[in-house]
């Protein structure tokens, strides 16, 4: 309460009007250092707020920004062919900036609350069939493009656990239980949860760890990250995308997928096999069950199979 009062007094006595750039820089620092948002989120907000600064000018006083000015920026995005999801991200960034500025009394009213997001087309998450998963996970054995043992372990673990790419990239050997059947991962918002690995993933991981130890030699215990590149440095999210791109591209299966497809497949198969949606929510680290409910769709083949089994006149002759 005292902090809010002091901020109000400071704002009212300070003749300097905070500019759009000053407010944006302060806000970005806040979400990075105080709220602890991910690097990708902060970078995305920074890019979106730069668009607003380019449209109005970096030195434009924040409190003089009008609702029509924000809507004009959105209109420019539409004319330039931006996707609705990109425009909504821009709107979210502007809303957050103005909410922050209102909280610290840089502005008297939050005009951004009146900006409405665009309706997105309903899309089901892209997931793989069991045949596609099996083919991709065995591709490093058939086509040794990079580091086959590592790459096979990477694919098996992504599929088996439903982890986000950043969670797999952040894994350390010390995060695992004995036998490598489970691990503690750090998810979005700094939330920890346990994920699990079935036997194929465990066996692939053990083979990779043996090669990892041979490659690193005396450095093995000093390198904490589980997945490393050929030089012995931690493998990041970009490296994982590159590896998957090689094996699912023209040199491999020729069915390009992104790392998130493993997560979608994990969730879909768990729910279609009868797992409780609340359990799947916990395994995926979703904060809202509505996010998990996207995976409750079923395939046409499954619907047809259930229909043929249940309906009494489904083509059966007396």
């Amino acid at each position: 309460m005292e902090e809010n009062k002091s901020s109000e007094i400071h704002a009212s006595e300070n003749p300097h009007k905070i500019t759009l750039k000053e407010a944006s820089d302060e806000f970005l620092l806040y979400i990075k250092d105080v709220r602890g948002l991910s690097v990708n989120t902060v970078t995305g907000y920074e890019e979106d707020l730069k668009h607003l600064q380019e449209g109005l000018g970096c030195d434009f006083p924040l409190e003089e920004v009008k609702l029509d000015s924000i809507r004009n920026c959105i209109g420019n995005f539409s004319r330039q062919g931006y996707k609705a999801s990109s425009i909504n991200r821009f709107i979210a960034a502007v809303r957050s900036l103005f909410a922050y500025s209102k909280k610290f009394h840089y502005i008297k009213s939050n005009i951004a609350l009146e900006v409405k997001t665009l309706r997105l087309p309903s899309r089901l998450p892209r997931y793989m069939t069991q045949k596609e998963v099996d083919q991709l996970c065995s591709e490093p054995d058939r086509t040794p493009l990079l580091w086959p043992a590592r790459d096979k372990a990477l694919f098996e673990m992504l599929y088996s656990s439903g982890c986000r790419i950043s969670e797999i990239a952040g894994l350390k050997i010390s995060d695992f239980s004995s036998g490598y059947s489970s691990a503690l991962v750090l998810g979005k918002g700094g939330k920890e949860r346990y994920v699990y690995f079935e036997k194929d993933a465990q066996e692939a991981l053990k083979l990779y760890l043996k090669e990892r130890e041979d490659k690193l030699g005396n450095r093995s215990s000093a390198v904490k990250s589980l997945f490393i590149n050929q030089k012995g440095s931690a493998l990041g999210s970009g490296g994982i995308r590159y590896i998957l791109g090689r094996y699912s591209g023209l040199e491999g299966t020729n069915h390009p997928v992104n790392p998130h497809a493993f997560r979608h497949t994990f969730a879909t198969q768990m729910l279609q096999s009868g797992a409780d949606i609340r359990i799947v929510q916990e395994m995926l680290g979703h904060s809202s069950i509505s996010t998990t409910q996207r995976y409750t769709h079923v395939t046409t083949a499954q619907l047809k199979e259930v229909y043929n089994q249940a309906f009494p006149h489904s083509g059966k002759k007396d």
Side-chain angles (χ1 to χ4, degrees):
M1 191 70 178
E2 290 299 323
E3 180 184 351
N4 290 340
K5 285 182 178 179
S6 62
S7 298
E8 189 171 5
I9 293 170
H10 176 75
S12 62
E13 290 180 351
N14 188 356
H16 170 70
K17 293 182 178 180
I18 191 169
T19 66
L20 191 53
K21 185 178 187 309
E22 289 171 339
S24 298
D25 289 346
E26 186 178 309
F27 165 70
L28 292 170
L29 194 63
Y30 171 77
I31 62 173
K32 177 178 178 289
D33 293 343
V34 179
R35 292 193 56 197
L37 299 188
S38 70
V39 173
N40 288 341
T41 300
V42 175
T43 302
Y45 273 43
E46 183 178 15
E47 291 175 0
D48 290 324
L49 294 176
K50 280 182 179 177
H51 286 304
L52 188 62
Q53 293 170 38
E54 289 168 0
L56 298 176
C58 294
D59 296 328
F60 196 89
L62 180 69
E63 66 178 11
E64 294 181 19
V65 176
K66 304 298 182 185
L67 184 59
D68 286 344
S69 300
I70 299 174
R71 287 173 173 163
N72 285 338
C73 287
I74 296 171
N76 288 334
F77 283 138
S78 297
R79 287 188 288 273
Q80 293 172 31
Y82 279 73
K83 293 181 179 179
S85 57
S86 299
I87 296 174
N88 282 346
R89 195 188 73 172
F90 168 78
I91 294 172
V94 173
R95 280 179 173 177
S96 298
L97 170 65
F98 275 75
Y100 169 86
S101 300
K102 177 68 168 61
K103 177 181 178 181
F104 289 99
H105 308 285
Y106 292 138
I107 54 177
K108 293 179 181 179
S109 61
N110 185 355
I111 59 170
L113 290 174
E114 299 183 46
V115 182
K116 305 299 181 184
T117 55
L118 306 183
R119 178 174 291 183
L120 296 174
S122 179
R123 291 182 181 178
L124 293 176
R126 163 75 169 97
Y127 67 99
M128 295 179 280
T129 64
Q130 189 61 57
K131 182 179 179 181
E132 288 174 323
V133 173
D134 292 342
Q135 184 180 12
L136 186 53
C137 287
S138 60
E139 192 62 27
D141 294 329
R142 291 192 298 269
T143 313
L145 296 173
L146 300 165
W147 184 350
R150 176 201 61 187
D151 305 335
K152 182 178 178 64
L154 179 62
F155 297 163
E156 291 283 5
M157 291 176 68
L158 279 167
Y159 171 53
S160 174
S161 65
C163 279
R164 300 178 178 92
I165 180 175
S166 58
E167 294 168 348
I168 285 289
L171 274 174
K172 298 178 177 59
I173 295 178
S174 59
D175 293 329
F176 284 83
S177 63
S178 60
Y180 306 105
S181 61
S182 65
L184 186 66
V185 299
L186 186 65
K188 283 188 174 181
K191 296 179 180 178
E192 293 182 333
R193 75 180 190 282
Y194 281 98
V195 295
Y196 302 92
F197 306 99
E198 47 75 55
K199 289 184 178 179
D200 287 343
Q202 293 172 35
E203 293 304 315
L205 179 57
K206 290 174 184 176
L207 289 174
Y208 159 63
L209 287 175
K210 179 64 173 64
E211 291 191 12
R212 178 186 183 279
E213 185 177 358
D214 293 340
K215 181 181 287 289
L216 292 175
N218 295 332
R219 296 175 53 217
S220 182
S221 59
V223 179
K224 305 300 181 184
S225 295
L226 173 64
F227 286 109
I228 59 172
N229 58 27
Q230 298 282 6
K231 297 179 180 179
S233 301
L235 186 67
S237 297
I240 294 175
R241 288 193 180 90
Y242 172 77
I243 292 167
L244 183 56
R246 290 287 299 274
Y247 283 102
S248 67
L250 292 174
E251 300 167 281
T253 64
N254 198 24
H255 292 287
V257 296
N258 62 53
H260 226 59
F262 282 109
R263 182 169 164 86
H264 295 326
T265 304
F266 169 86
T268 301
Q269 291 187 354
M270 288 289 291
L271 290 169
Q272 289 179 352
S273 298
D276 185 272
I277 192 169
R278 295 285 181 184
I279 300 298
V280 179
Q281 177 190 1
E282 181 69 24
M283 288 182 170
L284 293 172
H286 286 158
S287 57
S288 171
I289 198 169
S290 62
T291 307
T292 316
Q293 286 174 331
R294 294 183 304 161
Y295 300 104
T296 55
H297 61 281
V298 292
T299 64
T300 304
Q302 284 179 309
L303 286 172
K304 186 176 180 180
E305 181 182 353
V306 171
Y307 175 81
N308 287 337
Q309 290 176 355
F311 195 67
H313 298 289
S314 56
K316 296 178 182 178
K317 295 182 178 179
D318 294 332

